[in-house]
Amino acid sequence: MKIPPGHPRAESLHIREKLIEQCKKGVVTAAGLVAHGRGEAFDYLLGEKTTKPALKAIEAAAAALSLAEKPVVSVNGNVAALGAEDIVKLSHAVGAKIEVNLFYRSSIRERTIQELLKKAGAREVLGVGKDASARIPELGSERRRVDPDGIFVADVVLVPLEDGDRSEALVKMGKKVIAIDLNPLSRTAQKASITIVDNIIRTLPRLVELAEELRNDKKKCRMILTNFHNRKNLAESIRLINNRLAKLAKEKKCVTLEGEMLEL
Amino acid sequence: MKIPPGHPRAESLHIREKLIEQCKKGVVTAAGLVAHGRGEAFDYLLGEKTTKPALKAIEAAAAALSLAEKPVVSVNGNVAALGAEDIVKLSHAVGAKIEVNLFYRSSIRERTIQELLKKAGAREVLGVGKDASARIPELGSERRRVDPDGIFVADVVLVPLEDGDRSEALVKMGKKVIAIDLNPLSRTAQKASITIVDNIIRTLPRLVELAEELRNDKKKCRMILTNFHNRKNLAESIRLINNRLAKLAKEKKCVTLEGEMLEL
């Protein structure tokens, strides 16, 4: 699909095309495409920009990752497709390990994603094949498999686009969970320690930037975390969506998600 | 994926699985899966039930189809995957023609969808191959192709899950356009003559029922249409979403779209 460069929703359409391409390569699953669509809808309700509460949460996430002793970034198909380079940069900035963590596991998918991450500059990729030999308690089947040197022993885990069961299980294991989720009402969003309600396309570069800024200032990191209240911040995101919907309805403007011109 | 029968979101998960299956068969496109995900998000904001304004719009749609001289139901991949049987029943109830109308046209896709509709009981399926020889003005490329015996000469067109450009072009051609769209702010929703903000899975059976009830009562049909105001009705749907969001945020309940247990 050709997207005209001046198209007001060009960014969103390019992201969609990228995912569809990676679906053909086996990185993204069909269910991953549906999940992306849900994200698109919430992003559109948020105005497709990083909001103030999202920025606050990104700052808290950068602080938590900088203070962490064993930080791990969990990567699934959609994350690899949309943010491999930024994930690698982030892992370098905060000394985090990268672990492949899939809802639909298959050894070929694991290895395809591992390769994609290595191409993006990752030196080490955990959670592939026999390495994913540890188990998260209380989860069924393939979804509980984690790397004993990665998520299993991590103190802080960044889970962009994670499912709720797993996020909750990680919290129960005593880990600080940082979620990136466009749906502020999802279980992942509600159960995480730090919830970034934003598109990972926008979040990851900012997170890298802030992590590089903060990593040598432990005192500032601790202050940021003391002043951050996840529940309050999440409620703020929901309020923003509400206000935007009310405004759109009042102005009788129409917006669209289907790859057409925006009339706002 | 196995879905436990008692799962609170089993219905939504079954629908998703159906679409993914039809994607493998070439009926649904990758972009169609993403679009479905957007629908899921809005459906969830609506509470995954047919709301009062949706019911009003379905009644108006049944009346308009019953009064139509040349009604046509436009079918794309997602519609064929989710509602082939109901589309056929509706076409029998109101004497409507069925036309395949695709954003991503290919002759093999057209024919796969035609076959699916015929298996569901359709006697005639328009818009396939050379039959789609007429053009909608102002639209580019393959998207403007329509059947000269179908949409091109129709007075009322039902477009479930249509894109905004085409809906608008049909309205400009003087047709009454009935849209089924879960996003009340989409261009299709905003431009259509009658907008049903609902999941087609729930809408179609009700629409068939009401059409069968109303088709012999022209007077009642005219009265229903006189009393129906699309803009007012649409605003009501947006208000419902807003109220639900506000309530969820206030109660701090968490809901989920990822195939997990609902905690509401």
Side-chain angles (χ1 to χ4, degrees):
Chain A
M1 188 175 142
K2 271 184 215 153
I3 300 158
H7 194 295
R9 305 199 65 254
E11 173 74 4
S12 168
L13 298 177
H14 278 298
I15 299 171
R16 195 187 301 167
E17 288 303 305
K18 214 170 179 177
L19 270 182
I20 290 174
E21 195 191 308
Q22 290 295 341
C23 183
K24 285 171 195 156
K25 290 185 184 166
V27 169
V28 171
T29 61
L33 291 180
V34 177
H36 181 72
R38 291 195 296 271
E40 279 188 358
F42 282 103
D43 200 9
Y44 145 82
L45 291 176
L46 283 164
E48 290 176 317
K49 58 171 192 247
T50 301
T51 62
K52 267 187 202 168
L55 209 53
K56 258 194 182 173
I58 294 172
E59 197 185 41
L65 286 165
S66 299
L67 290 175
E69 281 182 26
K70 293 181 174 185
V72 173
V73 182
S74 171
V75 175
N76 67 13
N78 286 29
V79 175
L82 297 180
E85 284 80 10
D86 288 322
I87 291 291
V88 173
K89 279 185 205 160
L90 181 65
S91 78
H92 291 164
V94 298
K97 293 191 172 178
I98 298 174
E99 177 166 343
V100 175
N101 195 359
L102 306 178
F103 194 98
Y104 299 96
R105 262 193 197 269
S106 81
S107 51
I108 194 163
R109 251 195 102 205
E110 285 173 359
R111 268 176 287 132
T112 310
I113 291 170
Q114 182 183 37
E115 248 169 66
L116 202 157
L117 288 163
K118 290 212 163 169
K119 255 194 196 160
R123 281 173 227 134
E124 189 191 25
V125 178
L126 304 178
V128 177
K130 284 182 189 156
D131 289 348
S133 58
R135 302 280 182 271
I136 302 177
E138 294 177 60
L139 281 184
S141 71
E142 293 299 283
R143 292 167 58 203
R144 64 178 167 185
R145 285 175 53 195
V146 285
D147 198 306
D149 295 326
I151 290 175
F152 196 72
V153 293
D155 55 344
V156 178
V157 189
L158 172 65
V159 288
L161 321 179
E162 180 59 283
D163 88 291
D165 275 348
R166 262 199 309 215
S167 306
E168 204 175 346
L170 294 175
V171 171
K172 278 192 190 159
M173 283 171 84
K175 298 173 194 311
K176 193 179 275 257
V177 172
I178 303 169
I180 309 179
D181 194 326
L182 277 159
N183 175 3
L185 295 160
S186 78
R187 194 137 62 106
T188 298
Q190 296 278 336
K191 296 286 175 182
S193 326
I194 297 172
T195 309
I196 303 167
V197 180
D198 196 21
N199 193 322
I200 62 161
I201 287 283
R202 297 187 299 265
T203 295
L204 290 176
R206 276 177 190 265
L207 186 53
V208 172
E209 218 178 273
L210 282 169
E212 282 169 352
E213 225 176 278
L214 288 170
R215 62 180 162 189
N216 296 320
D217 195 343
K218 306 285 178 205
K219 205 180 145 194
K220 190 166 178 194
C221 287
R222 276 189 287 270
M223 206 185 66
I224 288 169
L225 286 177
T226 306
N227 292 324
F228 179 77
H229 303 285
N230 201 45
R231 212 148 247 306
K232 229 170 101 183
N233 205 53
L234 253 177
E236 191 58 35
S237 288
I238 298 168
R239 200 157 32 239
L240 279 177
I241 291 182
N242 243 344
N243 291 346
R244 195 170 130 82
L245 261 175
K247 193 165 166 271
L248 288 169
K250 206 173 153 194
E251 293 173 2
K252 289 186 179 163
K253 292 218 172 136
C254 53
V255 273
T256 174
L257 284 160
E258 296 128 15
E260 307 143 16
M261 300 301 284
L262 195 66
E263 298 189 352
L264 276 180
Chain B
M1 188 174 142
K2 269 184 214 152
I3 300 157
H7 195 296
R9 304 199 68 254
E11 173 75 6
S12 167
L13 298 177
H14 278 299
I15 298 171
R16 195 188 300 167
E17 289 302 304
K18 213 170 180 178
L19 270 182
I20 290 174
E21 192 191 309
Q22 290 295 340
C23 182
K24 285 172 194 156
K25 290 186 183 167
V27 169
V28 171
T29 60
L33 291 180
V34 178
H36 180 72
R38 292 195 296 272
E40 278 187 358
F42 282 104
D43 200 10
Y44 145 81
L45 291 176
L46 283 163
E48 290 177 317
K49 59 172 192 243
T50 301
T51 62
K52 267 188 203 170
L55 209 53
K56 258 193 182 173
I58 294 173
E59 196 185 42
L65 286 166
S66 298
L67 290 174
E69 282 183 23
K70 292 180 174 184
V72 173
V73 182
S74 172
V75 175
N76 66 14
N78 287 28
V79 175
L82 297 180
E85 285 80 11
D86 288 322
I87 292 290
V88 172
K89 279 186 204 159
L90 182 65
S91 79
H92 291 162
V94 299
K97 292 189 173 179
I98 297 174
E99 178 166 342
V100 174
N101 195 0
L102 306 178
F103 195 98
Y104 299 96
R105 262 192 198 272
S106 81
S107 51
I108 194 162
R109 250 195 104 209
E110 285 173 358
R111 269 176 287 133
T112 310
I113 291 169
Q114 183 183 38
E115 246 168 68
L116 202 157
L117 288 163
K118 290 212 162 171
K119 254 193 197 160
R123 281 173 226 133
E124 190 190 23
V125 178
L126 304 178
V128 177
K130 283 182 189 154
D131 288 349
S133 58
R135 300 282 181 271
I136 302 177
E138 294 175 61
L139 283 185
S141 72
E142 294 299 281
R143 292 168 56 203
R144 65 178 166 185
R145 285 174 55 195
V146 284
D147 198 305
D149 296 326
I151 290 175
F152 195 71
V153 292
D155 55 344
V156 177
V157 189
L158 172 65
V159 287
L161 322 180
E162 180 59 284
D163 88 290
D165 275 349
R166 262 198 312 215
S167 305
E168 202 175 348
L170 293 174
V171 171
K172 276 193 188 157
M173 283 171 85
K175 300 176 193 310
K176 194 180 275 258
V177 171
I178 304 167
I180 309 177
D181 194 327
L182 277 160
N183 174 3
L185 294 161
S186 79
R187 194 136 61 105
T188 297
Q190 296 279 335
K191 296 287 176 180
S193 325
I194 298 171
T195 309
I196 303 166
V197 180
D198 196 20
N199 193 321
I200 63 161
I201 287 283
R202 296 186 300 263
T203 294
L204 290 176
R206 276 178 189 263
L207 186 53
V208 172
E209 217 179 275
L210 282 169
E212 281 168 351
E213 223 177 280
L214 287 170
R215 64 180 160 189
N216 295 318
D217 195 343
K218 306 285 178 203
K219 206 181 143 192
K220 190 166 179 194
C221 286
R222 277 188 288 269
M223 209 183 65
I224 288 169
L225 288 178
T226 306
N227 292 325
F228 180 77
H229 302 285
N230 201 46
R231 212 148 247 307
K232 230 171 98 184
N233 205 53
L234 253 177
E236 191 58 33
S237 288
I238 298 168
R239 197 154 36 234
L240 280 176
I241 289 181
N242 240 346
N243 291 346
R244 196 170 129 82
L245 262 175
K247 194 168 165 271
L248 288 170
K250 207 175 152 192
E251 293 173 3
K252 289 188 180 159
K253 295 222 169 131
C254 55
V255 273
T256 173
L257 283 161
E258 297 132 14
E260 306 144 17
M261 300 302 283
L262 194 67
E263 298 190 353
L264 278 179

